[in-house]
């Protein structure tokens, strides 16, 4: 457990220090990239737009974790998201929610 959290934290720092070319974490590439990109919309919204939508909201991380886990519609009018994307587990979803909100 601890090492996973440490890895997420380190990844977060790396992304924070590399604003020019923000790359999706490996979990995102494996479980989400079929429908999402960081900068532009694809099947689903750009993750940067999601970060903007939740900017300044206290419960943003919990909301994102819940939404990614259950899937469905979140008001983007782009259709339905499959629950957990392509099979992400709880740990991966948590890490990705943090990543999205860091954008
Ligand atoms: C099969 C395509 C598909 C996959 C795979 C997918 N998504 Fe989505 N996602 C969507 C669509 C479509 C929407 C927009 C739904 C709507 O119109 O409201 C969306 C919306 C979202 C949102 C916005 C939630 C909100 O509250 O506004 C987030 C965050 C998100 N996806 C994260 C992820 C993550 C993380 C993964 C990988 C674990 C993932 N998605 C995998 C299709 C997908």
């Amino acid at each position: 457990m601890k090492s996973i959290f440490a890895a997420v934290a380190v990844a977060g720092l790396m992304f924070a220090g590399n604003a020019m070319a923000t790359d999706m974490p490996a979990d995102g590439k494996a479980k989400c990239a079929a429908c999402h990109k960081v900068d532009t919309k694809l099947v689903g919204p750009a993750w940067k737009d999601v970060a903007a939508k939740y900017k300044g909201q206290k419960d943003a991380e919990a909301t994102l974790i819940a939404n990614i886990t259950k899937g469905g519609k979140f008001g983007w009018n782009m259709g339905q998201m499959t629950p957990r994307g392509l099979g992400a587990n709880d740990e991966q979803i948590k890490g990705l929610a943090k990543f999205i909100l860091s954008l």
Side-chain angles (χ1 to χ4, degrees):
M1 267 315 232
K2 260 196 183 138
S3 64
I4 294 174
F5 285 127
V8 170
V10 169
L13 287 175
M14 278 161 45
F15 288 121
N18 188 12
M20 287 291 285
T22 311
D23 204 9
M24 218 183 248
D27 289 340
K29 284 185 179 146
K31 312 287 184 188
C32 322
C35 300
H36 289 284
K37 289 183 157 195
V38 169
D39 292 305
T40 50
K41 58 182 168 177
L42 198 60
V43 179
W47 282 355
K48 280 200 169 152
D49 293 342
V50 177
K53 173 181 167 186
Y54 286 99
K55 198 173 163 81
Q57 289 189 30
K58 268 194 293 178
D59 52 354
E61 188 179 323
T63 305
L64 273 195
I65 290 171
N67 287 356
I68 295 164
T69 305
K70 68 179 190 300
K73 297 179 178 216
F74 318 106
W76 296 93
N77 285 321
M78 299 181 77
Q80 297 254 6
M81 177 164 150
T82 47
R84 298 178 179 273
L86 303 176
N89 65 32
D90 288 351
E91 209 62 58
Q92 292 169 327
I93 288 172
K94 188 167 181 205
L96 290 164
K98 280 187 194 291
F99 168 74
I100 292 167
L101 292 172
S102 78
L103 293 169

